PDB file of all heavy atoms in Angstrom:
ATOM      1  N   PRO A 126      17.084   9.798  21.884  1.00  0.00           N
ATOM      2  CA  PRO A 126      16.033   9.654  22.897  1.00  0.00           C
ATOM      3  C   PRO A 126      14.865  10.627  22.632  1.00  0.00           C
ATOM      4  O   PRO A 126      15.066  11.660  22.023  1.00  0.00           O
ATOM      5  CB  PRO A 126      16.745   9.992  24.198  1.00  0.00           C
ATOM      6  CG  PRO A 126      17.821  10.936  23.807  1.00  0.00           C
ATOM      7  CD  PRO A 126      18.290  10.452  22.419  1.00  0.00           C
ATOM      8  N   ARG A 127      13.710  10.236  23.142  1.00  0.00           N
ATOM      9  CA  ARG A 127      12.562  11.155  23.128  1.00  0.00           C
ATOM     10  C   ARG A 127      12.412  11.715  24.543  1.00  0.00           C
ATOM     11  O   ARG A 127      12.221  10.955  25.480  1.00  0.00           O
ATOM     12  CB  ARG A 127      11.298  10.398  22.689  1.00  0.00           C
ATOM     13  CG  ARG A 127      10.053  11.292  22.601  1.00  0.00           C
ATOM     14  CD  ARG A 127       8.855  10.553  22.089  1.00  0.00           C
ATOM     15  NE  ARG A 127       8.281   9.653  23.093  1.00  0.00           N
ATOM     16  CZ  ARG A 127       8.355   8.325  23.061  1.00  0.00           C
ATOM     17  NH1 ARG A 127       9.008   7.716  22.109  1.00  0.00           N
ATOM     18  NH2 ARG A 127       7.766   7.606  24.002  1.00  0.00           N
ATOM     19  N   ILE A 128      12.514  13.024  24.678  1.00  0.00           N
ATOM     20  CA  ILE A 128      12.473  13.656  26.004  1.00  0.00           C
ATOM     21  C   ILE A 128      11.026  14.062  26.310  1.00  0.00           C
ATOM     22  O   ILE A 128      10.401  14.765  25.537  1.00  0.00           O
ATOM     23  CB  ILE A 128      13.406  14.881  26.069  1.00  0.00           C
ATOM     24  CG1 ILE A 128      14.824  14.499  25.706  1.00  0.00           C
ATOM     25  CG2 ILE A 128      13.356  15.496  27.444  1.00  0.00           C
ATOM     26  CD1 ILE A 128      15.424  13.459  26.612  1.00  0.00           C
ATOM     27  N   GLU A 129      10.542  13.608  27.433  1.00  0.00           N
ATOM     28  CA  GLU A 129       9.159  13.920  27.854  1.00  0.00           C
ATOM     29  C   GLU A 129       9.194  14.610  29.240  1.00  0.00           C
ATOM     30  O   GLU A 129       9.700  14.051  30.212  1.00  0.00           O
ATOM     31  CB  GLU A 129       8.349  12.637  27.981  1.00  0.00           C
ATOM     32  CG  GLU A 129       8.229  11.862  26.671  1.00  0.00           C
ATOM     33  CD  GLU A 129       7.466  10.541  26.861  1.00  0.00           C
ATOM     34  OE1 GLU A 129       7.187  10.184  28.030  1.00  0.00           O
ATOM     35  OE2 GLU A 129       7.138   9.904  25.842  1.00  0.00           O
ATOM     36  N   PRO A 130       8.700  15.856  29.351  1.00  0.00           N
ATOM     37  CA  PRO A 130       8.665  16.550  30.652  1.00  0.00           C
ATOM     38  C   PRO A 130       7.646  15.863  31.583  1.00  0.00           C
ATOM     39  O   PRO A 130       6.666  15.301  31.134  1.00  0.00           O
ATOM     40  CB  PRO A 130       8.243  17.958  30.264  1.00  0.00           C
ATOM     41  CG  PRO A 130       7.529  17.827  28.980  1.00  0.00           C
ATOM     42  CD  PRO A 130       8.170  16.689  28.252  1.00  0.00           C
ATOM     43  N   LYS A 131       7.912  15.948  32.896  1.00  0.00           N
ATOM     44  CA  LYS A 131       7.019  15.356  33.868  1.00  0.00           C
ATOM     45  C   LYS A 131       6.533  16.452  34.855  1.00  0.00           C
ATOM     46  O   LYS A 131       7.182  17.470  34.996  1.00  0.00           O
ATOM     47  CB  LYS A 131       7.744  14.243  34.645  1.00  0.00           C
ATOM     48  CG  LYS A 131       8.149  13.058  33.830  1.00  0.00           C
ATOM     49  CD  LYS A 131       8.901  12.053  34.690  1.00  0.00           C
ATOM     50  CE  LYS A 131       8.021  11.525  35.818  1.00  0.00           C
ATOM     51  NZ  LYS A 131       8.683  10.506  36.655  1.00  0.00           N
ATOM     52  N   GLN A 132       5.405  16.124  35.490  1.00  0.00           N
ATOM     53  CA  GLN A 132       4.893  17.019  36.503  1.00  0.00           C
ATOM     54  C   GLN A 132       5.819  16.970  37.718  1.00  0.00           C
ATOM     55  O   GLN A 132       6.030  15.922  38.335  1.00  0.00           O
ATOM     56  CB  GLN A 132       3.493  16.606  36.946  1.00  0.00           C
ATOM     57  CG  GLN A 132       2.822  17.565  37.927  1.00  0.00           C
ATOM     58  CD  GLN A 132       2.539  18.925  37.293  1.00  0.00           C
ATOM     59  OE1 GLN A 132       2.127  18.994  36.126  1.00  0.00           O
ATOM     60  NE2 GLN A 132       2.729  19.966  38.051  1.00  0.00           N
ATOM     61  N   ALA A 133       6.439  18.106  38.059  1.00  0.00           N
ATOM     62  CA  ALA A 133       7.437  18.131  39.129  1.00  0.00           C
ATOM     63  C   ALA A 133       6.805  17.862  40.474  1.00  0.00           C
ATOM     64  O   ALA A 133       5.780  18.464  40.834  1.00  0.00           O
ATOM     65  CB  ALA A 133       8.177  19.461  39.108  1.00  0.00           C
ATOM     66  N   GLN A 134       7.435  16.954  41.224  1.00  0.00           N
ATOM     67  CA  GLN A 134       7.002  16.683  42.586  1.00  0.00           C
ATOM     68  C   GLN A 134       7.753  17.598  43.573  1.00  0.00           C
ATOM     69  O   GLN A 134       7.326  17.788  44.717  1.00  0.00           O
ATOM     70  CB  GLN A 134       7.298  15.232  42.942  1.00  0.00           C
ATOM     71  CG  GLN A 134       6.634  14.211  42.032  1.00  0.00           C
ATOM     72  CD  GLN A 134       5.122  14.321  42.105  1.00  0.00           C
ATOM     73  OE1 GLN A 134       4.556  14.456  43.220  1.00  0.00           O
ATOM     74  NE2 GLN A 134       4.478  14.266  40.957  1.00  0.00           N
ATOM     75  N   ASP A 135       8.860  18.181  43.121  1.00  0.00           N
ATOM     76  CA  ASP A 135       9.655  19.094  43.899  1.00  0.00           C
ATOM     77  C   ASP A 135       9.837  20.366  43.109  1.00  0.00           C
ATOM     78  O   ASP A 135      10.415  20.354  42.004  1.00  0.00           O
ATOM     79  CB  ASP A 135      11.012  18.465  44.224  1.00  0.00           C
ATOM     80  CG  ASP A 135      11.851  19.284  45.159  1.00  0.00           C
ATOM     81  OD1 ASP A 135      11.605  20.512  45.298  1.00  0.00           O
ATOM     82  OD2 ASP A 135      12.790  18.738  45.774  1.00  0.00           O
ATOM     83  N   GLU A 136       9.350  21.480  43.673  1.00  0.00           N
ATOM     84  CA  GLU A 136       9.413  22.748  42.917  1.00  0.00           C
ATOM     85  C   GLU A 136      10.813  23.226  42.680  1.00  0.00           C
ATOM     86  O   GLU A 136      11.053  24.107  41.879  1.00  0.00           O
ATOM     87  CB  GLU A 136       8.623  23.829  43.662  1.00  0.00           C
ATOM     88  CG  GLU A 136       9.164  24.129  45.033  1.00  0.00           C
ATOM     89  CD  GLU A 136       8.364  25.196  45.760  1.00  0.00           C
ATOM     90  OE1 GLU A 136       7.265  25.526  45.292  1.00  0.00           O
ATOM     91  OE2 GLU A 136       8.866  25.721  46.754  1.00  0.00           O
ATOM     92  N   ASN A 137      11.778  22.627  43.333  1.00  0.00           N
ATOM     93  CA  ASN A 137      13.187  23.014  43.168  1.00  0.00           C
ATOM     94  C   ASN A 137      13.899  22.144  42.094  1.00  0.00           C
ATOM     95  O   ASN A 137      15.101  22.325  41.893  1.00  0.00           O
ATOM     96  CB  ASN A 137      13.948  22.924  44.462  1.00  0.00           C
ATOM     97  CG  ASN A 137      13.411  23.892  45.516  1.00  0.00           C
ATOM     98  OD1 ASN A 137      13.134  25.058  45.202  1.00  0.00           O
ATOM     99  ND2 ASN A 137      13.199  23.423  46.749  1.00  0.00           N
ATOM    100  N   LYS A 138      13.156  21.285  41.484  1.00  0.00           N
ATOM    101  CA  LYS A 138      13.788  20.417  40.501  1.00  0.00           C
ATOM    102  C   LYS A 138      12.969  20.367  39.222  1.00  0.00           C
ATOM    103  O   LYS A 138      11.751  20.513  39.223  1.00  0.00           O
ATOM    104  CB  LYS A 138      13.929  18.993  41.068  1.00  0.00           C
ATOM    105  CG  LYS A 138      14.908  18.891  42.232  1.00  0.00           C
ATOM    106  CD  LYS A 138      14.999  17.473  42.737  1.00  0.00           C
ATOM    107  CE  LYS A 138      16.008  17.357  43.915  1.00  0.00           C
ATOM    108  NZ  LYS A 138      16.079  15.979  44.458  1.00  0.00           N
ATOM    109  N   LEU A 139      13.687  20.109  38.112  1.00  0.00           N
ATOM    110  CA  LEU A 139      13.060  19.860  36.791  1.00  0.00           C
ATOM    111  C   LEU A 139      13.065  18.369  36.581  1.00  0.00           C
ATOM    112  O   LEU A 139      14.101  17.728  36.621  1.00  0.00           O
ATOM    113  CB  LEU A 139      13.857  20.577  35.699  1.00  0.00           C
ATOM    114  CG  LEU A 139      13.396  20.335  34.274  1.00  0.00           C
ATOM    115  CD1 LEU A 139      12.014  20.984  34.046  1.00  0.00           C
ATOM    116  CD2 LEU A 139      14.417  20.921  33.284  1.00  0.00           C
ATOM    117  N   GLU A 140      11.892  17.769  36.375  1.00  0.00           N
ATOM    118  CA  GLU A 140      11.784  16.345  36.159  1.00  0.00           C
ATOM    119  C   GLU A 140      11.410  16.024  34.736  1.00  0.00           C
ATOM    120  O   GLU A 140      10.598  16.719  34.120  1.00  0.00           O
ATOM    121  CB  GLU A 140      10.761  15.764  37.139  1.00  0.00           C
ATOM    122  CG  GLU A 140      11.099  15.982  38.598  1.00  0.00           C
ATOM    123  CD  GLU A 140      10.105  15.313  39.535  1.00  0.00           C
ATOM    124  OE1 GLU A 140       9.369  14.399  39.056  1.00  0.00           O
ATOM    125  OE2 GLU A 140      10.034  15.677  40.723  1.00  0.00           O
ATOM    126  N   PHE A 141      12.010  14.975  34.207  1.00  0.00           N
ATOM    127  CA  PHE A 141      11.725  14.587  32.829  1.00  0.00           C
ATOM    128  C   PHE A 141      12.035  13.089  32.661  1.00  0.00           C
ATOM    129  O   PHE A 141      12.712  12.487  33.504  1.00  0.00           O
ATOM    130  CB  PHE A 141      12.526  15.410  31.852  1.00  0.00           C
ATOM    131  CG  PHE A 141      14.013  15.263  31.970  1.00  0.00           C
ATOM    132  CD1 PHE A 141      14.687  14.326  31.200  1.00  0.00           C
ATOM    133  CD2 PHE A 141      14.752  16.031  32.897  1.00  0.00           C
ATOM    134  CE1 PHE A 141      16.085  14.163  31.325  1.00  0.00           C
ATOM    135  CE2 PHE A 141      16.091  15.846  33.020  1.00  0.00           C
ATOM    136  CZ  PHE A 141      16.786  14.948  32.238  1.00  0.00           C
ATOM    137  N   SER A 142      11.551  12.556  31.534  1.00  0.00           N
ATOM    138  CA  SER A 142      11.830  11.154  31.184  1.00  0.00           C
ATOM    139  C   SER A 142      12.472  11.135  29.805  1.00  0.00           C
ATOM    140  O   SER A 142      12.101  11.948  28.908  1.00  0.00           O
ATOM    141  CB  SER A 142      10.563  10.314  31.147  1.00  0.00           C
ATOM    142  OG  SER A 142       9.983  10.244  32.414  1.00  0.00           O
ATOM    143  N   ALA A 143      13.400  10.235  29.637  1.00  0.00           N
ATOM    144  CA  ALA A 143      14.026  10.002  28.341  1.00  0.00           C
ATOM    145  C   ALA A 143      13.640   8.597  27.882  1.00  0.00           C
ATOM    146  O   ALA A 143      13.887   7.627  28.579  1.00  0.00           O
ATOM    147  CB  ALA A 143      15.536  10.121  28.422  1.00  0.00           C
ATOM    148  N   VAL A 144      12.940   8.512  26.737  1.00  0.00           N
ATOM    149  CA  VAL A 144      12.539   7.216  26.206  1.00  0.00           C
ATOM    150  C   VAL A 144      13.394   6.922  24.983  1.00  0.00           C
ATOM    151  O   VAL A 144      13.534   7.721  24.080  1.00  0.00           O
ATOM    152  CB  VAL A 144      11.037   7.256  25.799  1.00  0.00           C
ATOM    153  CG1 VAL A 144      10.599   5.884  25.279  1.00  0.00           C
ATOM    154  CG2 VAL A 144      10.173   7.687  26.964  1.00  0.00           C
TER     155      VAL A 144
END
Side-chain angles (χ1 to χ4, degrees):
R127 182 176 75 252
I128 304 300
E129 300 176 350
K131 296 179 61 179
Q132 184 67 39
Q134 301 298 317
D135 185 339
E136 61 180 13
N137 296 316
K138 294 180 179 179
L139 175 68
E140 299 185 19
F141 63 93
S142 296
V144 182

